[in-house]
Amino acid sequence: MKKLIATICALAAVAAVAPATSSAATRQFEGTVVSVDRSGHTFRLRDHERGTVRIRVTSSTRFHRISGFSGLRARLTRVEANVKRSGGRWVATLVERSGGGGRHRGNDD
């Protein structure tokens, strides 16, 4: 009986840690595009808090307010990238221009 309880506790501990590990690999970077490598399907993004990172784009990467990978260019500002770690690389799940939403007239009504 003690072995059964110990096994159940060990499995519960592993199950509790497993989701945290996968979600910990997801990050968001925001900043200015430094360069774009069209043949390598990557771009470099300078994040003001984390430095410069190389991000890979795949066929499943979604783009909002940017016209796809061809819309990325050096010195493009206010770019956000939601990425996950895969094969030792940052792979983009979503790339978008930040801002542009909301009301900017100063009214709080």
Side-chain angles (χ1 to χ4, degrees), residues 29-106:
F29 296 106
E30 180 177 4
T32 302
V33 175
V34 176
S35 63
V36 179
D37 179 359
R38 304 259 181 236
S39 61
H41 302 285
T42 62
F43 67 98
R44 292 176 51 221
L45 186 68
R46 180 178 298 123
D47 185 294
H48 301 289
E49 296 175 3
R50 297 185 180 112
T52 302
V53 294
R54 183 178 308 274
I55 299 172
R56 183 165 177 75
V57 173
T58 66
S59 60
S60 61
T61 301
R62 294 173 296 136
F63 290 88
H64 293 173
R65 295 187 290 272
I66 298 176
S67 59
F69 185 59
S70 62
L72 288 176
R73 65 185 192 293
R75 295 183 304 278
L76 185 64
T77 60
R78 299 183 344 260
V79 175
E80 292 182 18
N82 292 346
V83 298
K84 63 181 179 178
R85 202 74 171 153
S86 177
R89 296 179 171 186
W90 290 117
V91 178
T93 57
L94 172 68
V95 179
E96 65 181 335
R97 290 292 300 267
S98 62
R103 293 169 40 187
H104 299 285
R105 296 177 191 237

